[in-house]
Amino acid sequence: YRRPDGKIAIVFEEELDVKTSNEGDEKLKHVTQICNDKLQTYVEKYPEQWMWVHRRWKKGKFKKNAN
C-alpha cells in the first residue's frame, strides 16, 4: 500500500492455509476464495488505492444498486 508520505509499504504475512480435501474445480474454487478474501481485506482497508477495470465482485457490498 502507499503510505501517507508517498512511499510504498510492502507487508509480508504468514502464508495462506489452502489445504482442502476438495479436488479439481472445487479445490480451485476453494483456493481462489481464500486468495480473494485476503485481497478483500486490503481493498477494504485502503479503498482509495484500489482500481479494477471489470466487475470482479458481482455480489455483496461492492455491487452497485441498479436504479
Side-chain angles (χ1 to χ4, degrees):
Y1 65 92
R2 187 174 300 275
R3 300 183 331 194
D5 64 4
K7 294 183 179 180
I8 301 294
I10 299 173
V11 178
F12 293 91
E13 296 190 9
E14 296 293 322
E15 65 184 272
L16 298 175
D17 181 9
V18 296
K19 294 179 183 126
T20 178
S21 61
N22 296 331
E23 295 293 331
D25 285 349
E26 289 303 313
K27 183 175 185 176
L28 179 62
K29 288 177 187 178
H30 176 80
V31 173
T32 301
Q33 186 65 58
I34 289 171
C35 293
N36 282 333
D37 289 347
K38 178 54 74 175
L39 176 61
Q40 183 176 350
T41 64
Y42 283 95
V43 172
E44 290 176 344
K45 190 171 183 177
Y46 306 103
E48 73 284 358
Q49 297 183 25
W50 178 254
M51 184 182 106
W52 197 266
V53 294
H54 70 45
R55 290 177 53 198
R56 183 176 182 93
W57 293 281
K58 295 176 183 167
K59 298 180 182 177
K61 62 183 166 180
F62 291 108
K63 183 178 179 179
K64 292 184 179 181
N65 293 332
N67 293 336

